[in-house]
Amino acid sequence: MTEIADGVFSGERIREAVFTEGIVSIGKESFKDCEELHQVILPISMKGIGDHAFEGCRNLKSISLPVQLGQIGTEAFKASGLKTLTIPETVYWLGDGLLADCKNITHIDIPENIDKIPDNMFKGCISLKKVSLHENLIAIGTEAFYGCGSLDYIIIPDSVKEIGEN
């Protein structure tokens, strides 16, 4: 087995998900709305996390993303309980709304290989206080920080040439 199928555990009463080495991807909506899920351990072999994979996992407070991860799908962690997230330098693609409505997230560092903050990335993250951006960033998407009323520290580098609406 190398992948977790689309929607396979969606809405189930799962508390922990521990993946063995060899798993390379988590499909779309695989753990969507697993509200009791509080721990996920991903293997180093993981390359991709699908759209909405952990959306609505309100008890998921942290997740350690493997260093070989390449892409994270649209709204993969939307409305989850994450407090912080470290995105590995190997990630080359982030989906729109990745952390939208994560009410508990307070801080995030964007790695240097990401050149655009996707649309709606932090939309509704009411506890977000600090975002660290880098000098390689060229664009910030539409409504990327919409509704982030607690945001009190962000420095937008000169490299940013485009900022979306709202």
Side-chain angles (χ1 to χ4, degrees), residues 6-131:
D6 293 351
V8 70
F9 298 111
S10 183
E12 296 293 330
R13 298 184 67 180
I14 296 171
R15 297 186 47 125
E16 296 180 2
V18 178
F19 298 95
T20 58
E21 202 56 47
I23 302 291
V24 295
S25 68
I26 297 174
K28 297 176 184 177
E29 300 182 5
S30 293
F31 294 90
K32 184 178 180 184
D33 296 325
C34 290
E35 294 185 12
E36 294 181 28
L37 184 65
H38 66 89
Q39 181 178 8
V40 175
I41 298 175
L42 301 174
I44 293 171
S45 59
M46 183 70 58
K47 303 272 194 245
I49 297 174
D51 298 346
H52 312 278
F54 296 98
E55 180 180 343
C57 296
R58 299 191 192 290
N59 282 307
L60 183 61
K61 304 297 182 210
S62 67
I63 187 169
S64 181
L65 299 178
V67 296
Q68 293 185 23
L69 192 65
Q71 56 187 350
I72 307 172
T74 298
E75 299 180 349
F77 297 106
K78 180 180 180 181
S80 70
L82 290 177
K83 291 184 177 185
T84 187
L85 184 67
T86 300
I87 300 170
E89 293 279 333
T90 55
V91 173
Y92 59 86
W93 190 82
L94 299 173
D96 292 345
L98 178 66
L99 295 165
D101 297 322
C102 288
K103 307 292 185 205
N104 300 322
I105 201 155
T106 59
H107 172 256
I108 190 160
D109 292 320
I110 304 298
E112 290 189 21
N113 54 313
I114 300 297
D115 64 356
K116 179 185 180 193
I117 305 293
D119 295 348
N120 307 306
M121 175 119 172
F122 303 106
K123 183 177 182 178
C125 293
I126 58 174
S127 298
L128 184 65
K129 293 184 159 297
K130 180 181 177 185
V131 177

Side-chain angles (χ1 to χ4, degrees), residues 109-166:
D109 292 320
I110 304 298
E112 290 189 21
N113 54 313
I114 300 297
D115 64 356
K116 179 185 180 193
I117 305 293
D119 295 348
N120 307 306
M121 175 119 172
F122 303 106
K123 183 177 182 178
C125 293
I126 58 174
S127 298
L128 184 65
K129 293 184 159 297
K130 180 181 177 185
V131 177
S132 298
L133 303 177
H134 56 79
E135 291 296 328
N136 296 332
L137 193 68
I138 58 172
I140 297 173
T142 300
E143 295 189 351
F145 297 100
Y146 186 83
C148 296
S150 296
L151 187 61
D152 59 11
Y153 180 84
I154 186 170
I155 296 174
I156 299 173
D158 291 338
S159 59
V160 173
K161 305 298 180 210
E162 178 184 338
I163 298 177
E165 294 182 26
N166 297 319

